[in-house]
Amino acid sequence: MLSRATILAAILSLPAGCGEDDPTAGWVANDGPLATINGMAFVFGPNTAGLSIEGSVVAIAETPEISTPVAADGSFTFQVPSGGPTTFSVVKEGFHPNQSATLEVGADGISMLGFQSPTVEAFELLGTIARVVPDPTRCQISTTVSRAGTEPYGGEALGAEGAVVTIDPALPAESGPIYFAYAGGNIYPDRMLTSASIDGGVIFANVPAGEYTLRAEKAGTRFTEVGIRCRAGVLVNAAPPNGLQEI
């Protein structure tokens, strides 16, 4: 297992962007009073029996020296400066670098920060099925369009079926949205789908570094919006309950 120092070094070494016009250069850390963050990290993907997220480190992407270890049951808690948008990352050997949506941290903190952490093998398998060759200079974005009243950290068949997801600024069609199909309990990315299935999963592939907003639309339904700070080489997973949630 990697040491805490090695994991933090890995987080620090993740590229923020490319070129002189790096859109991530202006991202700053909060400096308000400390607020408490509570959450859970889960192993995502097939053939994960016996795998544990214990030993991973959750940190603030904008200030990675502020971090906390994940316990054996996947839980974590720590205090972070409040006052504005904050992005959280989780890193462990054998898992693809994973990042949350960018969330507003107020004085009350965040009571449920969820991570769905794919193994390296699961990440590569999803890329193959989705016909995506991940560009290491870009990020991959995933989220779940969830119905109101679903389980706090997600679960099976919680999607708002028929919802259409957009990203702003817009991306080329080949980047997505790519929705996840749901068939007999099996889920997989299907480029033929034009809206969310009952799974609710959706991905955008090979997204240039920068800031984005995800939105969902469905007749008679309103959803939260999701802010994304895209960093090169990272999977940004806006997982429940901080994804596109019906309100």
Side-chain angles (χ1 to χ4, degrees):
M1 181 180 296
L2 295 178
S3 68
R4 181 186 180 88
T6 301
I7 292 173
L8 287 175
I11 298 172
L12 284 164
S13 69
L14 290 173
C18 302
E20 295 180 0
D21 296 325
D22 175 9
T24 70
W27 298 351
V28 296
N30 296 337
D31 58 4
L34 292 178
T36 300
I37 308 297
N38 292 301
M40 293 287 297
F42 304 89
V43 179
F44 176 83
N47 304 318
T48 57
L51 290 181
S52 171
I53 202 71
E54 181 183 11
S56 58
V57 170
V58 175
I60 297 178
E62 291 84 359
T63 49
E65 65 272 15
I66 301 176
S67 64
T68 189
V70 174
D73 64 355
S75 65
F76 58 88
T77 183
F78 65 142
Q79 290 192 306
V80 307
S82 63
T86 303
T87 312
F88 299 90
S89 63
V90 61
V91 175
K92 183 182 179 181
E93 183 180 19
F95 291 78
H96 192 81
N98 196 355
Q99 176 183 300
S100 72
T102 298
L103 307 172
E104 194 75 19
V105 176
D108 294 335
I110 298 173
S111 60
M112 291 183 292
L113 174 62
F115 285 103
Q116 297 171 344
S117 298
T119 63
V120 171
E121 292 78 8
F123 178 82
E124 292 174 348
L125 177 61
L126 286 173
T128 299
I129 297 172
R131 304 197 302 275
V132 171
V133 178
D135 183 340
T137 69
R138 301 191 171 199
C139 83
Q140 317 303 319
I141 297 175
S142 69
T143 190
T144 302
V145 193
S146 305
R147 299 188 306 275
T150 54
E151 292 294 322
Y153 290 111
E156 186 175 345
L158 54 74
E161 190 172 12
V164 174
V165 179
T166 59
I167 189 169
D168 182 23
L171 299 171
E174 59 266 24
S175 288
I178 306 169
Y179 297 98
F180 278 70
Y182 180 91
N186 296 316
I187 60 171
Y188 54 92
D190 184 349
R191 284 185 173 269
M192 298 300 292
L193 293 178
T194 57
S195 63
S197 73
I198 197 170
D199 172 70
V202 58
I203 56 179
F204 290 90
N206 290 330
V207 180
E211 298 198 43
Y212 298 86
T213 301
L214 300 181
R215 299 183 177 93
E217 295 183 358
K218 182 180 179 179
T221 307
R222 293 189 303 126
F223 297 90
T224 57
E225 295 184 354
V226 175
I228 298 291
R229 285 179 168 175
C230 178
R231 296 186 300 148
V234 174
L235 169 64
V236 182
N237 184 4
N242 299 300
L244 292 165
Q245 183 75 39
E246 181 185 353
I247 52 178

